[in-house]
Amino acid sequence: MAGRLVNALGAAARTAEAFSDQATLRHMLRFEAALTVAVARARLIPKKHLAVIEQACNPDLYDPVALAETARRNLTLTVAVVRALTAEVRKRDAGAAASVHWGATSQDLIDTAMVLQLGEAVPPLLEDLHGIVTALAGLARRHRATPMLGRTLLQPATPLALGQKIAGWASDIDRATRRLEESFAETQILQFGGASGSLSALGEKAEPVMKLLASRLGLALPPAPWFAQRVRVAAFAQDVALVVGALGKAARDIALMMQFEVAEASEPTGAGRGGSSTMPHKRNPVGAGTVLTAASRAPQLAATIVAGLPQEHERALGGWQAEWPTLAALVESMGSAVEAMAEVAPGLVIDVDRLAASLAATNGAVLAERATFLLAEKMGKEQAGKIVEAALSKGGSFVAALGQLERELADEKAMLGLSPKFVDRLLADIRKR
């Protein structure tokens, strides 16, 4: 993975730590220690070897650079780690070295370590996502009936309540988060199948070893090893990309609303936040930009995981090996996006006067649709359309040029239609989920 400087916009510090070299070794050695306990209790190895192996399962004893080089020559990090662990155990007790990694295979260690890393990285992000939804829902509630200019194809459209836009962000982020919670839970399972998935080397002791290993690691026990059945992982990857995309939708709107010419919203300020290297007057949408950086990466990373689903027989060549680094980069991207939006959402500032000014700048032209339907009730849609088009062609104030319906078109409640009710429904749907 890239260093922290190169990846400064690609990973939050907390998420990056979950996939650091130290964390990777910690989780791999945690598996080895738990496996040793399980096989020792099953009397497959001498119990006296247990303490020696557990002492050697200390990540500080190993050199990640050397391990990475060995891994490249063996197509798996497992070989490097197990060799290093065995050598460390042999220093303490030559006899105990033969008990290291008993009955397991490379993929058992790699997949379970990956699962444990997800277990460390993802729950705090889910908590932050719920906080983002809560903050946006509160903002939507406050602006339930605040009129703003709707925009379609980046051009002025009919008015709607600002709360509907914000509740829409919250609703999709919440929906994606709920999906992610479910797919994440499905990843929290043990991988343990031995050479090809039968655990035949452990004989009648396979079942108790498997159960105790899962229990020691706090993981669920799947019906069978899932060496080449990767839908769980792919579904999780897709749901991560959906979360980042939902955050990206909010970030895109916020960035557009922050443009100087628009200035309807602004991110929270702070010392050194949003500055430019050459233009002191600028306050850039750094939170939105960070989210959008992640949203540019996540779909392709998730696609890499999905592309690896057609795996060969009982262990894949290439597709499986591509998963771990890709999944780490994907979760790190989500961490970066979540951290940024967790700062923006509760501090987002809305300029109600600018919202009104944007509406007023259209000279009432955005009321043309409503005027057409009001007139159509009296004279039919075709004739009403001609009158409205004639009024629009005169320029200036549309309502003045129309010469009628002034009271009806000034009715803010009617202008917003069902928009405030849609806010209520979106927020109620979030609460229900």
Side-chain angles (χ1 to χ4, degrees), residues 103-105 108 193-199 227 314-315:
T105 193
D108 292 332
S196 65
S198 67
L199 282 177
F227 287 155
E314 279 61 61
R315 183 159 303 119

Side-chain angles (χ1 to χ4, degrees), residues 217-256:
L217 295 174
L219 298 173
L221 191 63
W226 42 283
F227 287 155
Q229 286 73 50
R230 313 302 288 185
V231 166
R232 291 180 184 88
V233 179
F236 171 78
Q238 290 183 101
D239 287 338
V240 170
L242 289 177
V243 165
V244 177
L247 293 169
K249 160 58 180 169
R252 183 78 73 192
D253 282 352
I254 290 168
L256 291 171

